[in-house]
Amino acid sequence: MAITVVCLECGQANRIPEAKLDAEPKCARCGAGLIKGTPTEVSFEILSKAARMDGIPLIVDFWAAWCGPCRMMAPEFASAAKALKGTARFIKLDTEAHPQAGERYGIRGIPLLIAFAGGREVKRQSGAIPASKIIEWASGISQAKGDA
Ligand code: ZN
């Protein structure tokens, strides 16, 4: 079975056989790695497309440089991204650079984590939490992907 994975660099929707997800698949258009163990900073447009189309869970960290708790959580988020490589993709959106995200996703405060699966938001978490909690929180989503 093939799943759709939107390239976080160029926005191209790629179809990847599920069995190849662990084999460092690359974007057919730009060659960027599609499954990385590190958070990728994305634009509002790419976030919207990936949230709608991705066949594997998408974990988004909404942050801004002026936000102290966001900066504190950044290494925790990166560590969770590494731990869950291949299970979920971790991305970051700078809410100051992309203010339209605030209204689109009803953001009242940051840091805010939103998980998307099956084309819709499945849960959100406000406030900074450690890597262990992020992993726990995000693991439930990957298990639920079959229901989406
Ligand atoms: Zn690409």
Side-chain angles (χ1 to χ4, degrees):
M1 218 179 85
I3 64 165
T4 299
V5 183
V6 171
C7 175
L8 300 175
E9 302 294 336
C10 76
Q12 169 77 28
N14 291 268
R15 296 282 293 167
I16 308 290
E18 213 161 343
K20 294 227 168 121
L21 278 180
D22 294 334
E24 308 290 333
K26 296 202 173 353
C27 173
R29 185 200 279 170
C30 77
L34 294 170
I35 306 290
K36 294 187 288 188
T38 52
T40 306
E41 189 76 47
V42 300
S43 66
F44 176 73
E45 291 71 25
I46 288 184
L47 162 63
S48 311
K49 189 171 181 183
R52 206 170 59 238
M53 299 186 67
D54 270 12
I56 63 173
L58 190 68
I59 314 295
V60 190
D61 173 15
F62 293 94
W63 73 289
W66 51 261
C67 159
C70 296
R71 292 199 307 274
M72 261 172 47
M73 191 168 74
E76 305 293 322
F77 191 71
S79 145
K82 192 174 174 189
L84 295 179
K85 182 183 178 187
T87 314
R89 293 205 300 171
F90 283 65
I91 66 177
K92 295 168 73 78
L93 184 106
D94 181 341
T95 55
E96 203 171 12
H98 305 281
Q100 64 272 58
E103 189 176 342
R104 173 68 182 79
Y105 297 106
I107 300 170
R108 296 211 178 86
I110 52 173
L112 171 70
L113 299 178
I114 299 184
F116 296 91
R120 60 192 168 83
E121 176 179 337
V122 290
K123 59 175 167 174
R124 61 172 63 196
Q125 151 75 37
S126 296
I129 54 174
S132 59
K133 291 283 179 201
I134 300 173
I135 292 167
E136 195 182 308
W137 182 82
S139 297
I141 294 152
S142 50
Q143 283 156 10
K145 72 178 173 181
D147 306 333

